[in-house]
């Protein structure tokens, strides 16, 4: 992966909140490890570059991971000049590459969901295409459509969330919202999920203040969310992860809004480590706790969060400063447990905000997610 910066003469200048810069045959990913002090884009030329960028946290956030993965393969096949196989060979080639890309981050369901959807496109193309080139073309177009759809989805999440929260909360003209990790433009193809709701509330003129946690150990909150909030001139305050409970106790938080890497059929939600703690604190202080995520984050194959695979990260992220990239700060020889995510039980969640509306609890106190997804897809509900 070759690196370029936006400050160099003759280089294309990108929006600093644009994590994915794509045009057919070319993909650049903003190296989020270097934010907010440096703006560096890495050239992604093939699936192996995409896998490394995802695994090494160059790009992160469930929606952005999915888009970056499929686009990295789109760039590879667009520039593939020496492929001599049949249409079936092209389909097999793409399938193997997609399976490889899915292995980069196992917890975010968006990635596997995207792979499943483009595999369907590949199979249809292979069944009718006369040569490999047409299969590759169908794949590239499908990947590009995902990029466009993600931005539209995020804006719809912001709109639905802002309207719902204003209708649910007292004093909705002066809301203060706490968020965790980074769920904005940098975690998606643009605008954001939970941070998109905060953007929408700010646009409506009802947001008094946004609070963001630092989100250790990789500091996505202090480095990325704070960067986005300052860039958009949204009134915001950064707090230590351990200060969130005290902030709630002081009456400074109207609602908590977080993103999701995977939502089980019962509403249990996997998100960045520390989310579960915030949900417990919110329930104790009688503060609504919302999850904002696209429907692609819902995994109906999992009955509960107990089945969600939780990725464990390198011990270096705790042992060294700067999320493992800096000098050692912990005692040598100490053992480390570093899960990237935790699971928040559905009973702690007040609502799940999607691009098709808000999933709320029915009379028995459970989420009716399966039927919501069916209705969103235009299917009949028994």
């Amino acid at each position: 992966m070759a690196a370029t910066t936006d400050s160099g003469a003759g280089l294309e200048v990108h929006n600093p909140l644009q994590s994915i810069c794509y045009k057919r045959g070319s993909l650049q990913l903003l190296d989020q490890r270097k934010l907010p002090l440096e703006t560096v884009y890495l050239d992604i030329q093939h699936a192996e570059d995409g896998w490394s960028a995802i695994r090494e946290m160059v790009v992160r956030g469930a929606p952005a991971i999915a888009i970056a993965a499929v686009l990295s393969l789109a760039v590879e096949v667009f520039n593939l000049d020496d492929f001599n196989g049949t249409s079936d060979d092209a389909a097999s080639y793409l399938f193997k590459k997609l399976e490889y890309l899915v292995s980069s981050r196992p917890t975010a369901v968006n990635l596997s969901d995207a792979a499943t959807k483009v595999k369907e496109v590949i199979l249809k193309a292979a069944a009718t295409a006369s040569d490999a080139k047409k299969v590759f073309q169908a794949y590239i177009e499908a990947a590009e459509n995902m990029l466009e759809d993600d931005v539209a989805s995020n804006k719809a999440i912001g709109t639905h969330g802002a309207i719902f929260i204003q209708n649910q909360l007292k004093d909705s003209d002066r809301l203060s919202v706490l968020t965790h990790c980074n769920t904005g433009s940098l975690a998606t193809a643009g605008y954001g999920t939970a941070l998109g709701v905060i953007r929408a509330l700010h646009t409506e003129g009802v947001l008094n203040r946004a609070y963001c946690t630092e989100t250790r150990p990789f500091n996505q909150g202090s480095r990325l969310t704070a960067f986005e909030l300052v860039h958009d001139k949204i009134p915001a305050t950064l707090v230590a992860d351990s200060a969130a409970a005290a902030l709630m106790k002081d009456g400074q938080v109207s609602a908590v809004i977080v993103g999701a890497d995977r939502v089980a059929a019962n509403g249990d939600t996997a998100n960045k480590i520390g989310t579960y703690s915030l949900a417990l604190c919110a329930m104790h202080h009688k503060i609504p706790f919302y999850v904002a995520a696209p429907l692609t984050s819902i995994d109906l194959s999992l009955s509960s969060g107990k089945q969600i695979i939780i990725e464990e990260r390198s011990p270096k992220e705790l042992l060294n400063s700067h999320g493992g990239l800096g000098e050692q700060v912990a005692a040598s020889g100490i053992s480390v447990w570093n899960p990237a995510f935790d699971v928040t039980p559905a009973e702690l969640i007040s609502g799940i905000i999607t691009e098709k509306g808000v999933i709320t609890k029915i009379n028995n106190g459970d989420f009716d997610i399966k039927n919501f997804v069916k209705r969103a897809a235009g299917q009949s509900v028994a």
Side-chain angles (χ1 to χ4, degrees), residues 112-382:
S112 58
D113 179 78
T116 298
K117 288 178 178 176
V118 292
K119 282 179 180 179
E120 293 175 0
V121 173
I122 295 165
L123 286 174
K124 289 180 181 178
T128 58
S130 56
D131 57 42
K133 186 175 181 180
K134 290 183 179 179
V135 176
F136 289 148
Q137 177 70 19
Y139 172 80
I140 290 169
E141 291 175 358
E144 291 172 350
N145 287 337
M146 284 187 173
L147 176 63
E148 295 178 5
D149 290 346
D150 188 63
V151 177
S153 170
N154 291 341
K155 289 184 176 179
I157 288 171
T159 299
H160 286 302
I163 294 171
F164 180 79
I165 289 172
Q166 289 180 76
N167 289 336
Q168 292 293 307
L169 300 183
K170 298 177 181 179
D171 300 324
S172 61
D173 59 337
R174 47 190 181 91
L175 299 172
S176 291
V177 178
L178 172 67
T179 192
H180 186 58
C181 197
N182 175 255
T183 57
S185 295
L186 297 173
T188 63
Y191 199 73
T193 54
L195 196 51
V197 175
I198 290 174
R199 282 191 165 98
L201 289 169
H202 175 64
T203 300
E204 291 288 325
V206 298
L207 183 72
N208 179 55
R209 182 157 296 272
Y211 290 96
C212 60
T213 61
E214 56 183 343
T215 321
R216 289 187 50 79
F218 215 71
N219 299 314
Q220 295 98 320
S222 57
R223 292 187 303 106
L224 307 178
T225 299
F227 177 68
E228 292 200 40
L229 291 167
V230 170
H231 180 274
D232 284 3
K233 296 181 173 58
I234 296 174
T237 299
L238 173 67
V239 300
D241 291 357
S242 53
L247 188 71
M248 294 183 197
K249 184 180 180 181
D250 284 349
Q252 299 300 311
V253 180
S254 307
V256 180
I257 308 176
V258 301
D261 285 76
R262 191 177 293 243
V263 180
N266 70 337
D268 291 352
T269 298
N271 192 50
K272 183 56 55 186
I273 191 72
T275 302
Y276 177 42
S277 301
L278 290 178
L280 289 170
C281 289
M283 173 162 280
H284 176 76
H285 293 98
K286 297 179 173 57
I287 295 169
F289 183 94
Y290 300 111
V291 171
L295 290 175
T296 54
S297 294
I298 296 174
D299 188 349
L300 294 178
S301 71
L302 304 181
S303 61
S304 76
K306 294 178 181 179
Q307 297 169 284
I308 298 176
I309 298 171
I310 299 299
E311 173 192 352
E312 291 196 29
R313 301 285 301 172
S314 167
K316 285 190 66 177
E317 292 180 358
L318 285 180
L319 297 173
N320 292 45
S321 64
H322 303 295
L325 302 176
E327 63 182 6
Q328 181 176 330
V329 294
S332 297
I334 187 69
S335 61
V336 171
W337 182 53
N338 185 25
F341 307 93
D342 54 28
V343 175
T344 299
E347 58 262 30
L348 300 180
I349 299 171
S350 306
I352 302 171
I353 305 165
T354 78
E355 71 272 29
K356 296 294 185 179
V358 182
I359 308 174
T360 55
K361 292 178 178 177
I362 53 181
N363 293 336
N364 64 358
D366 294 335
F367 287 112
D368 189 14
I369 292 179
K370 288 185 178 180
N371 283 331
F372 183 94
V373 172
K374 284 183 178 180
R375 285 191 292 268
Q379 300 174 7
S380 60
V381 176

Side-chain angles (χ1 to χ4, degrees), residues 83 86-99 122-123 126 135-136:
F83 191 86
T86 65
S87 58
D88 286 340
D89 293 332
S92 178
Y93 180 91
L94 290 167
F95 269 52
K96 289 179 181 177
K97 292 283 186 174
L98 287 167
E99 289 168 5
I122 295 165
L123 286 174
V135 176
F136 289 148

